[in-house]
Amino acid sequence: MATTSAERMRWKRARDRGMVWGEGDESKLSDTALIEQLAIACQKAREGQGNAVALGLFREIAARIGLSGKLL
């Protein structure tokens, strides 16, 4: 059964959410998915939740660009 592009994107986003909010393994995310999940985490942080997740995602970005995660 063929799937549409929109269905594939929904599946990928659900998988990405599971990696970040469930397993906590953001190292497996693509750069785009990492940024999308960071935007979600920042929104949740503004609402008073998700601060630790946002910090973990910022540390992953720092590691990918060669900065020490300890700077955050």
Side-chain angles (χ1 to χ4, degrees):
M1 177 178 199
T3 58
T4 66
S5 178
E7 289 171 325
R8 285 191 299 275
M9 288 306 298
R10 277 193 295 277
W11 182 84
K12 286 179 183 179
R13 285 193 173 111
R15 179 199 63 198
D16 295 344
R17 259 191 317 276
M19 276 194 257
V20 172
W21 300 92
E23 301 169 20
D25 190 7
E26 52 275 342
S27 66
K28 294 180 182 178
L29 293 174
S30 69
D31 292 344
T32 301
L34 181 61
I35 293 168
E36 286 177 351
Q37 292 303 311
L38 181 58
I40 293 167
C42 287
Q43 177 62 38
K44 287 184 181 236
R46 281 193 292 274
E47 295 168 357
Q49 54 184 333
N51 289 333
V53 173
L55 182 58
L57 293 169
F58 277 122
R59 286 186 174 148
E60 177 61 25
I61 290 171
R64 289 186 188 194
I65 62 174
L67 297 174
S68 171
K70 294 179 181 179
L71 296 173
L72 298 174

